[in-house]
Amino acid sequence: NAGVTQTPKFQVLKTGQSMTLQCAQDMNHNSMYWYRQDPGMGLRLIYYSASEGTTDKGEVPNGYNVSRLNKREFSLRLESAAPSQTSVYFCASSEGTPQGEQFFGPGTRLTVL
Amino acid sequence: GENVEQHPSTLSVQEGDSAVIKCTYSDSASNYFPWYKQELGKRPQLIIDIRSNVGEKKDQRIAVTLNKTAKHFSLHITETQPEDSAVYFCAASRMDSSYKLIFGSGTRLLVRP
């Protein structure tokens, strides 16, 4: 099993450009999450999908959109990138019920110039 | 919403000494408290978790304690080793349909040989 995979690993954008971060899991997990990690601020939840067909906002959703394409895949889209979105983005998944371990992907390092 | 505060932000100990990291949470409905370890350049990984129906849990050199009345929980690492050097994150979650975690800001632990 590959676990949670993310593409791309690195990306540089110019302000105003758009892009989609891809995430897939092969553990048959119900729940999936997108976090951003900034120095000194820990992991902040952007959006999550508790189950296939549902998505909800987390702590910092502004400037992002998500799509739960199917049970395996959960994408994060930046429509008009801003320098404040420079960060490391992690996707995670969990079984969902009961509360349990979240498995993280390797991360995407995004720089917006 | 839930807020999780974590202290200290950095901690330096001598190899063999103990390390303690403390977290407080604001949402009295929170009932699941995991700890994640993130080595430099790697993804966060679960090391131990505790649910609100127990006050303490141990796994070899690591232990977590929970005080629901005071709304705080702590990670204890005994006999620290250089490979324990990493960033540690606490988190809290309530038992609802979202299963989402709110993370603390992290503690950078350095174990000096």
Side-chain angles (χ1 to χ4, degrees):
Chain A
N1 286 352
V4 181
T5 57
Q6 291 182 236
T7 55
K9 285 186 168 45
F10 302 93
Q11 184 71 48
V12 178
L13 294 177
K14 294 180 180 178
T15 297
Q17 287 185 317
S18 62
M19 78 162 294
T20 300
L21 281 65
Q22 306 286 354
C23 174
Q25 52 92 8
D26 63 1
M27 296 174 283
N28 201 36
H29 284 169
N30 290 310
S31 302
M32 297 185 74
Y33 313 84
W34 276 105
Y35 296 91
R36 60 177 290 172
Q37 184 173 35
D38 302 295
M41 300 191 75
L43 293 149
R44 292 185 293 169
L45 183 64
I46 305 171
Y47 270 93
Y48 64 97
S49 172
S51 60
E52 186 179 359
T54 68
T55 61
D56 283 288
K57 296 178 181 179
E59 301 170 86
V60 289
N62 291 346
Y64 305 95
N65 284 301
V66 291
S67 295
R68 183 76 183 266
L69 304 169
N70 48 55
K71 192 171 186 180
R72 290 186 64 249
E73 298 171 290
F74 189 39
S75 63
L76 178 72
R77 182 161 178 83
L78 287 71
E79 289 291 352
S80 179
S84 60
Q85 294 178 304
T86 293
S87 188
V88 179
Y89 291 85
F90 285 99
C91 176
S93 71
S94 70
E95 289 186 357
T97 305
Q99 294 153 308
E101 181 173 3
Q102 288 192 12
F103 294 83
F104 285 80
T108 294
R109 186 173 294 276
L110 175 66
T111 301
V112 183
L113 302 175
Chain B
E2 173 71 281
N3 183 50
V4 177
E5 293 192 358
Q6 183 171 349
H7 300 280
S9 57
T10 59
L11 179 60
S12 180
V13 300
Q14 194 71 38
E15 182 178 358
D17 287 349
S18 295
V20 180
I21 302 170
K22 298 182 180 181
C23 289
T24 60
Y25 60 98
S26 61
D27 187 350
S28 57
S30 292
N31 64 344
Y32 175 64
F33 308 94
W35 287 87
Y36 284 78
K37 174 183 180 182
Q38 186 179 27
E39 297 176 356
L40 189 63
K42 300 289 182 63
R43 69 191 80 187
Q45 291 189 294
L46 180 74
I47 56 171
I48 195 168
D49 57 11
I50 191 168
R51 298 180 193 278
S52 59
N53 57 344
V54 298
E56 184 176 4
K57 184 177 179 180
K58 287 183 180 180
D59 183 3
Q60 298 182 358
R61 294 187 298 107
I62 61 173
V64 57
T65 59
L66 171 64
N67 183 327
K68 284 215 75 179
T69 302
K71 290 192 284 188
H72 68 70
F73 56 112
S74 301
L75 177 71
H76 304 253
I77 306 174
T78 59
E79 301 173 21
T80 54
Q81 300 168 3
E83 52 264 38
D84 294 328
S85 295
V87 179
Y88 292 80
F89 293 98
C90 63
S93 171
R94 64 191 310 182
M95 187 177 285
D96 59 20
S97 60
S98 69
Y99 314 112
K100 61 184 181 184
L101 292 174
I102 302 299
F103 283 86
S105 56
T107 296
R108 184 173 299 279
L109 173 65
L110 174 64
V111 180
R112 307 185 305 273

